[in-house]
């Protein structure tokens, strides 16, 4: 078979992953030649970890996805700092911004998304870039500029109380930066959380030093003063805009592909031109939430397989939202907005605002249909496992809601009361010695632990039952003679 | 076609009437079962058995588990084989030794003449002494000339061994004495359940457990996990993702030991780039282990004054076993634990001589002294000791499962000799293995009892057991131990060394090349191992009799041994340890609509491996008489089953019929089966023979099954 050429437009989390997934399946490049063009001058990096960089937990170097040598060492012709600017679909040829052209058999759009800046007066300069004192939070360079400003003691307003905005705010607050989240809706993360959870989350964040302004409509950015709201002013030297992203679809539109809030793709990640595929934030697959890494990586894996003859299509990704913010444990998944009185659904809900805990479990047809777990890390893990596996929920729903599916200290140990211990219960597991055997040995004259050990071998294995055996001996000694 | 009806064995366990040199005084010995090799004292109890008492030895501190206490029951057991058996007319009938050995040697000659030496295969075991393992490997390469020799340790230690070799340049299960663990305040056990598999070992974890520093990684809430301050329960087959998540947490939370990583290791950057994609929340999604618990594990290990990471079969017996063990080693390296006093990484060896058994040449790719069979210098050295030309030594052969899988096939061996192993029960995809054994022209089994594999044999050779012979073993900490004869063997049984000697001579070898005296074999082993990674040349029976604690390497008779490895440098030529660039791929057979549950296999306290020994000890049999399947009550209920009901557990490869035990703490999508039981209770009828690409370890620990009611028809 002829060796085909795949051109990847965009070398971020989706594009770089695709290159890796292709080389995992075709290590020597026998079947696919890979050319990739990425706009950013940096080596590809893990955008998910930018909030960790902002929080000071990680260095920019440690979030790199590939090192200098990876592309060359794996037969990937990487054009760093280069952008695909035009596509000639008839000739299957792409034009880069350095004037070179690349002929392709398959073009993969992995152009990602760009930060969206809401139409608030003063946020954008005349050239359309963020005004001085305004940063978006999307790239490693954004991150470096925010960090530099924060180091200089800037007061920060974060515009947007979604996932990424909250992670940024929490990270900055953790470094001692005075930070205020300005959110236009009545509760935080309204896409993923119901009102109750949003309220508890706001309370938790306030406890961690993040100021939160809800229902706050920003009307103007005043350099030097801050963000003017319709009912006041949030003082800020720096405004970090985290109000969502827009898919980067310019290239696709110019090429005449079907675009509808993203480049429209099918289960084989094909656009309206079968020679062009799209993955990651720029793509729109029915039933898949974009803007997250999980779908992007799953699409990269699926597409690599499809390009190399595997027949497994991409069926969408079920998303679990996890907030990565120190001191806040939040998971949200599925349908969380169902009200407790919904007749076709079981809804369990618990609020413990004072301790920062909120849990909601939505059960339909014996399966988890949605859930929120805030301040309940065990519940987040357990519920996710039931959700992802499509496992029927336990008969005891409350245990799952609380993440307490496991009984604590179910057996063994030294704490058992010898009086109430059932006669048949095994005290020494290593030697299968039950309480009744200890009692029999005691009655036959073995009155202390060494004697009981000699008579029954209890305590001679791992030794952990020693306290229980001693307790049984004491309990027997304390019995009236007739009851022994 | 062999049908294997039960033979009539008309021999009582009559003993050799000669007085034994140690018959009247207690003999210091070690337990016949696991790698902890608990010290025990054997005193005479009549002519046919001994009385067992625990002995204060560093590994067990005077403790024994039920298996150890009852280990003498097999010595005088009526289940003992005391006469060779030869199949004729479809039935195994008693035969003389001369007849049996003559028959085997004659058939081997014919098969070799007809199809070449690789038509003969040998299968050893991790319970064999160092002397037996050594002589078995030599017998294969010299007396038969076959490359086809491997052993059941492939199913046990091979993944940890390969990972340790890759990371440190050397594989010794615990590169420190087990008593070093006594001082640890944090110990992470990944895929190990020593509370059941080696109970006295738990005494070494007492300090960590009491300090709230015991971390146990296991999908099940085992007796070991119940004692842990932190139990991490990953979905089966996701241990690698969990290790990556904890490594990520360690780095993100500032616990990376940068100086150590720079000075003593190589490869961190490549390993980190893969671990960087496993932030704890993502690892949580795959493993089901709370991100917060991953961070807590990292913080506990990093904050300890002495921390250890120990792995067991739970994380190693996977088709990604080497990488998974490597991921846990990575974590230990990132925290700066290995090669420093008071901290480290180790693996808990399973079988009694699982360590020595992998060092002395019964493994398909190895020669004695842990040498590689494809290394010309190693071949030249060993050939010189053996008095043969290096070119006469065969090359590497098939690994254990591949060997069993090839039996009786056109390109595979048509004769198999089995020593110290019961693959009909213990190998994965057991039905396939039984079919392959049935397709052989000749199956010879040397064992103490009529195991399930022996039942299928053409010739069964009755051999002696632990208290009836001398021999050395190397325990889980690399310490060489002498197990001494405490009573004479029953008349009619011979030692494995005598069997190999008898066969070698009948195959035309000079008698002195295959000594039957253990000390003479050991002297040869010393010379063969000299200069190798596992150098025993300075170990002598006299030093062991004098009670010296000798951990290998012991390169000279005046060398004190090496209790702690790697303190100055690791064993790679540059002295640096290697991070492994590993990523999670998941179980080879994920659950689906047809087989929706993960089956995990493992051991129970009362039984050992295939159960050939322990099922014949009445006290152990009474405690756990048969196989079973553990399931969550909800899972059992949905399958129409209740506690105690008879269930069918079915995988793509086979079906097991056992009773249900409902266990509240099991995850809803996991069932557990012990693998010690025969017939249609064999858990290995279900298991997946997907092999690790490096170690050739099968994926015992997870396969996809379904659970359904079975008819109550068993007698």
């Amino acid at each position: 078979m002829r060796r085909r050429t795949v051109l990847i437009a965009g070398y971020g989390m989706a594009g770089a992953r695709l290159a890796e997934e292709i080389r995992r399946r075709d290590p020597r490049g026998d079947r696919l030649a890979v050319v990739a063009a990425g706009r950013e001058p940096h080596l590809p990096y893990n955008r998910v970890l930018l909030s960790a960089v902002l929080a000071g937990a990680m260095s920019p170097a440690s979030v790199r996805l590939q090192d200098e040598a990876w592309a060359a060492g794996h037969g990937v012709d990487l054009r760093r700092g280069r952008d695909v600017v035009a596509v000639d679909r008839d000739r299957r040829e792409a034009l880069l911004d350095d004037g070179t052209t690349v002929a392709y058999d398959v073009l993969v759009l992995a152009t990602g998304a760009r930060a969206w800046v809401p139409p608030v007066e003063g946020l954008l300069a005349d050239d359309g870039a963020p005004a001085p004192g305004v940063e978006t939070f999307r790239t490693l360079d954004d991150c470096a500029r925010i960090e530099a400003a924060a180091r200089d003691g800037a007061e920060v307003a974060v515009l947007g109380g979604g996932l990424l905005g909250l992670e940024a705010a929490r990270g900055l607050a953790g470094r001692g930066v005075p930070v205020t989240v300005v959110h236009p809706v009545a509760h935080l993360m309204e896409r993923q959380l119901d009102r109750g959870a949003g309220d508890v989350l706001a309370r938790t964040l306030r406890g961690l030093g993040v100021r939160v302004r809800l229902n706050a409509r920003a009307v103007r950015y005043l350099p030097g003063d801050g963000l003017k709201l319709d009912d006041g002013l949030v003082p800020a030297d720096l405004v970090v805009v985290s109000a969502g992203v827009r898919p980067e679809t310019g290239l696709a539109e110019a090429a005449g592909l079907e675009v509808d809030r993203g480049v429209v793709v099918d289960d084989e990640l094909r656009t309206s031109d079968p020679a062009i595929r799209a993955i990651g934030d720029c793509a729109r697959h029915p039933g898949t939430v974009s803007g997250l890494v999980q779908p992007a990586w799953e699409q990269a894996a699926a597409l690599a397989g499809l390009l190399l003859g595997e027949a497994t299509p991409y069926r969408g990704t079920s998303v679990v939202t996890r907030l990565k913010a120190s001191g806040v444990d939040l998971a949200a998944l599925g349908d969380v907005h169902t009200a407790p009185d919904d007749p076709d659904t079981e809804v369990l809900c618990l609020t413990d605002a004072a301790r920062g805990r909120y849990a909601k479990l939505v059960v339909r047809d014996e399966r988890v249909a949605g859930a929120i777990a805030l301040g309940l890390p065990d519940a987040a893990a357990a519920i996710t496992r039931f959700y992802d596996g499509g496992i029927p929920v336990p008969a005891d729903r409350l245990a799952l809601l609380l993440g307490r599916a496991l009984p604590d200290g179910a057996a063994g140990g030294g704490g058992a009361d010898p009086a109430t211990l059932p006669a048949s219960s095994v005290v020494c597991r290593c030697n299968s010695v039950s309480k009744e055997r200890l009692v029999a040995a005691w009655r036959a004259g073995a009155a202390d632990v060494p004697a009981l050990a000699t008579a029954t071998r209890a305590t001679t294995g791992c030794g952990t039952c020693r306290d229980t055996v001693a307790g049984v001996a004491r309990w027997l000694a304390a019995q009236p003679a007739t009851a022994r | 076609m062999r049908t294997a009806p039960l033979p009539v064995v008309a021999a009582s366990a009559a003993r050799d009437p000669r007085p034994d040199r140690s018959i009247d005084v207690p003999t210091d010995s070690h337990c016949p079962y696991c790698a902890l090799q608990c010290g025990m004292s054997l005193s005479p109890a009549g002519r046919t058995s001994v009385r067992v008492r625990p002995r204060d030895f560093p590994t067990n501190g005077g403790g024994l588990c039920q298996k150890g206490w009852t280990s003498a029951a097999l010595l005088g057991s009526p289940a003992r084989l005391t006469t060779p058996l030869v199949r004729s007319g479809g039935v195994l009938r008693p035969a003389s030794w001369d007849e049996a050995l003559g028959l085997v040697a004659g058939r081997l000659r014919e098969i070799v003449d007809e199809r070449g030496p690789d038509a003969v295969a040998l299968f050893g075991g991790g319970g064999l002494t160092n002397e037996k393992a050594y002589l078995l490997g030599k017998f294969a390469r010299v007396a038969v000339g076959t490359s086809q020799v491997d052993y059941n340790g492939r199913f046990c230690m091979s993944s940890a061994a390969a990972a340790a070799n890759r990371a440190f340049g050397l594989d010794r299960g615990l590169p420190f004495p087990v008593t070093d663990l006594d001082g640890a305040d944090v110990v992470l056990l990944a895929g190990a359940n020593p509370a059941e598999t080696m109970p006295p070992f738990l005494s070494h974890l007492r300090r960590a457990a009491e300090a709230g520093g015991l971390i146990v990684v296991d999908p099940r809430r085992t007796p070991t996990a119940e004692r842990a301050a932190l139990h991490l329960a990953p979905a089966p087959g996701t241990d690698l993702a969990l290790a990556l998540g904890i490594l990520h947490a360690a780095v993100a939370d500032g616990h990376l030991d940068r100086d150590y990583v720079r000075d003593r290791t190589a490869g961190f950057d490549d390993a980190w780039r893969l671990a960087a994609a496993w932030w704890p929340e993502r690892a949580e999604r795959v493993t089901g282990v709370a991100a917060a618990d991953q961070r807590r594990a990292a913080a506990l290990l990093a904050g300890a004054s002495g921390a250890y990471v120990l792995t067991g079969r739970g994380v190693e017996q996977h088709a990604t076993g080497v990488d998974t063990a490597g991921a846990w080693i990575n974590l230990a390296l990132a925290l700066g634990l290995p090669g420093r006093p008071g901290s480290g990484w180790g693996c808990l060896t399973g079988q009694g001589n699982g360590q020595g058994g992998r060092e002395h040449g019964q493994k398909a790719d190895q020669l004695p002294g842990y040498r590689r069979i494809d290394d010309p210098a190693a071949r030249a050295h060993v050939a010189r000791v053996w008095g043969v030309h290096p070119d006469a030594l065969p090359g590497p052969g098939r690994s254990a499962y591949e060997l069993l899988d090839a039996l009786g096939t056109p390109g595979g061996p048509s004769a198999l000799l089995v020593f110290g192993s019961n693959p009909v029960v213990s190998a994965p995809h057991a039905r396939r293995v039984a079919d392959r054994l049935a397709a052989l022209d000749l199956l010879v089994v040397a064992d103490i009892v009529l195991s399930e594999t022996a039942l299928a044999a053409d010739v069964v050779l009755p051999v002696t057991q632990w208290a009836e012979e001398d021999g050395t073993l190397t325990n889980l900490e690399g310490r060489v131990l002498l197990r001494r004869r405490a009573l004479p063997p029953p008349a009619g049984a011979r030692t494995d060394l005598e069997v190999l000697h008898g066969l070698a001579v009948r195959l035309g070898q000079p008698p002195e090349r295959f000594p039957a005296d253990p000390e003479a074999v050991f002297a040869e082993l010393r010379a063969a191992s000299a200069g190798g990674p596992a150098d025993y040349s300075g170990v002598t029976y006299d030093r062991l009799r004098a009670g010296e604690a000798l951990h290998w390497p012991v390169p000279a008779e005046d060398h004190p041994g090496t209790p702690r490895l790697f303190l100055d440098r690791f064993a790679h030529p540059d002295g640096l340890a290697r991070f492994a660039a590993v990523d999670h791929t998941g179980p080879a057979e994920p659950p689906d609509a047809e087989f929706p549950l993960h089956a995990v296999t493992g051991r129970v306290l009362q039984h050992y491996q295939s159960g050939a020994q322990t099922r014949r000890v009445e006290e152990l049999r009474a405690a756990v008489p048969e196989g079973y399947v553990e399931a969550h009550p909800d899972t059992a209920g949905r399958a129409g089953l209740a506690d105690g009901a008879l269930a069918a557990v079915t995988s793509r490869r086979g079906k097991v019929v056992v009773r249900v035990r409902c266990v509240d703490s099991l995850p809803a999508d996991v069932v557990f089966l012990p693998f010690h039981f025969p017939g249609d209770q064999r858990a290995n009828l279900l298991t997946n023979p997907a092999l690790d690409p490096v170690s050739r370890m099968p994926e015992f620990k997870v396969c996809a099954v379904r659970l359904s009611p079975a008819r109550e028809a068993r007698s």
Side-chain angles (χ1 to χ4, degrees), chain B residues 128 130 133 353-362 473-475 536:
Chain B
L128 300 176
N130 289 320
N353 196 30
Q355 181 70 50
R358 66 184 187 261
E359 298 166 358
H360 296 301
Q362 62 175 331
L473 296 97
T474 306
N475 73 2
Y536 283 42

Side-chain angles (χ1 to χ4, degrees), chain A residues 42-46 49-50 53 58-67 140 147, chain B residues 251 258 268-269 272-273 276:
Chain A
H42 302 285
L43 289 162
Y45 55 86
N46 190 338
L49 301 179
L50 288 185
V53 174
M58 276 194 208
S59 68
S62 65
V63 304
R64 273 184 206 146
L65 292 166
Q66 295 171 0
D67 65 10
L140 204 49
E147 257 196 295
Chain B
V251 172
R258 292 178 188 283
F268 173 75
D269 289 346
W272 168 251
R273 256 190 295 285

